[in-house]
Amino acid sequence: MWFNYSLIIDDDLLPNNPHFWDRPTPINCDIVRIVGILLCIAAFVGAVLNGLLIYSFIRYKPIRSSSNVHVLFIAIMGFIASCTILPMTGTSSIYCKWLYARAGCQFSSVIAFVYGCSSCYLLCVVSVSRCYIVIRPFYASNVTIERSAVVSCFAIGIASIWAMLPVLGWNEYTMEGARTSCCINWYDRRLSYVSFTYFLFIFVYAIPLIILFVSNSITLIGLKTMRDKIEQGVSTILSRKRIQMERRIAKNIIITTCGFIFTWTPYAITLFVSAFQGKDFAMPPLATFLCACFAKSSVIWIPLLHISTSTQYTFTFVNVTALNSQSASNQMEPEKQNDLLVLHNKDGSIHIRAVDKLSPKRKTRLTNTNSQVH
């Protein structure tokens, strides 16, 4: 099961040497080429899905909610990843060697790092925000679109700082075992390299995973408790309709989060196991390569899961009818008032009744009826 990377690593050939980047893959080229073709297809599909999510957010105002702002930023990062790291890895895999030299390796690694880390952080942010709204509904007005956008930019900024650390000297970006993609140097046993690997495991994987699990669990437990109280006839802060809406949003967030974890966890396990075991007892290059490609395919699964589990989207991509009804409901509800309807009875008495605000046509019809009765 274990693989000795000393067999394919030439310690005398340094990254400064151009021949370092021209070496062919040690894996069966036919397998690598098939995966490369699939990555190119995934790049196109990911660009389309994430691009349509971005377009729908700009085009349809009802979609611009605080929780969807975080999804928008995930879609933006996914669109960038679909147009950069997937085509670079895909084309290199088709040619069975890395095509973009050291600068391309660092560029694709930084983009991949920022995309993976920021997506994880943004999912944490949206989970915590929904948890906050459920457990403190009176303060839900604090979660605005503007603040959500600021927090999302902050999360991407933190991920960008982490991604630049290997460029600045804490670890480094180099080719993976398959030599058609790049990542951090996990097989070097120097302290600065090993410490960065542990840093990634704690702050980019373990802590966000704990936050996702705890926040979503609290949200579901809180909604279940409120629903049970309503069924028992006890009044709650949130109405039954609001609880159902929050449950749908929570379900959408959890499914999207599970999709992200499902695609990135195999790669994280192979990377960290290899780093902890050392290059003499690492995971085989083919396993690491396939897990890395599967992780990069999350540019497809995250928007696809979000679209399929959200009630605002249908197979025509955007459920315009649902959005229009939601928009009309949001506009009518704050303006709902009571009018006084005066009815003159035949005996000369006057009957006054409070009614909901009526449309002009309805008022005219009632006035005409009242005049006939009078």
Side-chain angles (χ1 to χ4, degrees):
M1 177 181 178
W2 306 116
F3 182 82
N4 188 354
Y5 267 74
S6 300
L7 300 175
I8 62 174
I9 295 177
D10 188 357
D11 295 329
D12 297 329
L13 194 60
L14 300 178
N16 294 329
N17 191 331
H19 295 293
F20 178 87
W21 306 99
D22 292 336
R23 294 174 296 170
T25 177
I27 308 175
N28 187 323
C29 190
D30 293 333
I31 298 176
V32 176
R33 187 172 287 115
I34 292 173
V35 176
I37 295 173
L38 294 176
L39 284 176
C40 292
I41 297 173
F44 174 77
V45 176
V48 170
L49 288 176
N50 288 285
L52 288 175
L53 266 181
I54 297 171
Y55 169 77
S56 64
F57 188 88
I58 297 173
R59 174 67 176 80
Y60 300 102
K61 187 176 181 179
I63 297 181
R64 302 173 203 166
S65 62
S66 58
S67 60
N68 283 344
V69 168
H70 308 300
V71 178
L72 169 68
F73 279 90
I74 295 176
I76 293 175
M77 298 307 302
F79 181 80
I80 296 174
S82 300
C83 297
T84 53
I85 58 174
L86 263 67
M88 295 176 73
T89 304
T91 52
S92 296
S93 299
I94 291 174
Y95 285 91
C96 295
K97 66 176 183 178
W98 182 249
L99 301 176
Y100 303 99
R102 187 174 190 176
C105 180
Q106 290 187 339
F107 173 76
S108 66
S109 298
V110 168
I111 297 297
F113 197 127
V114 173
Y115 164 69
C117 184
S118 62
S119 297
C120 188
Y121 286 171
L122 288 171
L123 287 173
C124 288
V125 170
V126 68
S127 299
V128 171
S129 66
R130 301 318 299 183
C131 179
Y132 177 80
I133 289 175
V134 169
I135 64 178
R136 304 192 69 180
F138 288 123
Y139 298 92
S141 59
N142 294 333
V143 185
T144 62
I145 296 177
E146 292 77 12
R147 291 179 179 177
S148 298
V150 171
V151 173
S152 297
C153 292
F154 179 76
I156 295 176
I158 294 295
S160 301
I161 294 175
W162 297 162
M164 292 303 298
L165 292 178
V167 179
L168 299 176
W170 193 12
N171 207 302
E172 67 175 348
Y173 291 121
T174 186
M175 286 190 297
E176 291 182 311
R179 297 175 184 166
T180 59
S181 60
C182 295
C183 69
I184 63 169
N185 189 339
W186 52 261
Y187 47 79
D188 196 309
R189 305 309 296 170
R190 283 177 287 181
L191 179 61
S192 61
Y193 287 68
V194 176
S195 60
F196 185 74
T197 304
Y198 278 92
F199 171 81
L200 287 184
F201 181 77
I202 295 173
F203 291 97
V204 181
Y205 184 75
I207 292 179
L209 198 63
I210 294 173
I211 293 174
L212 288 170
F213 177 78
V214 173
S215 59
N216 286 310
S217 297
I218 293 175
T219 301
L220 292 178
I221 292 173
L223 292 174
K224 184 178 184 303
T225 302
M226 291 182 183
R227 186 183 63 178
D228 293 341
K229 287 183 179 180
I230 288 179
E231 292 177 352
Q232 296 172 4
V234 180
S235 60
T236 59
I237 298 176
L238 300 181
S239 64
R240 183 187 296 272
K241 184 177 180 180
R242 176 67 182 275
I243 291 175
Q244 292 176 351
M245 182 190 72
E246 291 294 340
R247 282 180 62 86
R248 288 195 300 268
I249 295 176
K251 177 184 175 183
N252 175 262
I253 295 171
I254 291 173
I255 292 177
T256 305
T257 302
C258 289
F260 177 83
I261 295 174
F262 177 73
T263 53
W264 279 93
T265 296
Y267 180 56
I269 292 176
T270 57
L271 183 66
F272 293 129
V273 167
S274 298
F276 298 150
Q277 291 284 110
K279 64 180 180 180
D280 296 332
F281 299 95
M283 298 292 290
L286 179 60
T288 306
F289 172 67
L290 293 177
C291 291
C293 294
F294 186 59
K296 293 171 183 175
S297 70
S298 62
V299 298
I300 294 177
W301 305 119
I302 291 179
L304 191 62
L305 289 172
H306 176 72
I307 293 170
S308 61
T309 57
S310 176
T311 57
Q312 294 176 322
Y313 299 93
T314 62
F315 287 107
T316 57
F317 195 76
V318 175
N319 191 343
V320 180
T321 304
L323 292 179
N324 291 338
S325 62
Q326 178 181 348
S327 178
S329 176
N330 293 337
Q331 294 176 1
M332 291 293 293
E333 189 170 358
E335 300 176 357
K336 187 175 181 180
Q337 301 175 358
N338 287 335
D339 284 350
L340 295 179
L341 180 63
V342 180
L343 299 177
H344 298 270
N345 299 324
K346 291 182 178 180
D347 56 1
S349 62
I350 299 175
H351 179 68
I352 301 177
R353 185 175 62 184
V355 297
D356 291 341
K357 194 170 184 179
L358 302 174
S359 63
K361 292 183 178 179
R362 178 63 175 165
K363 281 185 176 181
T364 303
R365 188 162 55 252
L366 284 174
T367 303
N368 294 337
T369 305
N370 186 27
S371 300
Q372 294 175 2
V373 172
H374 181 71

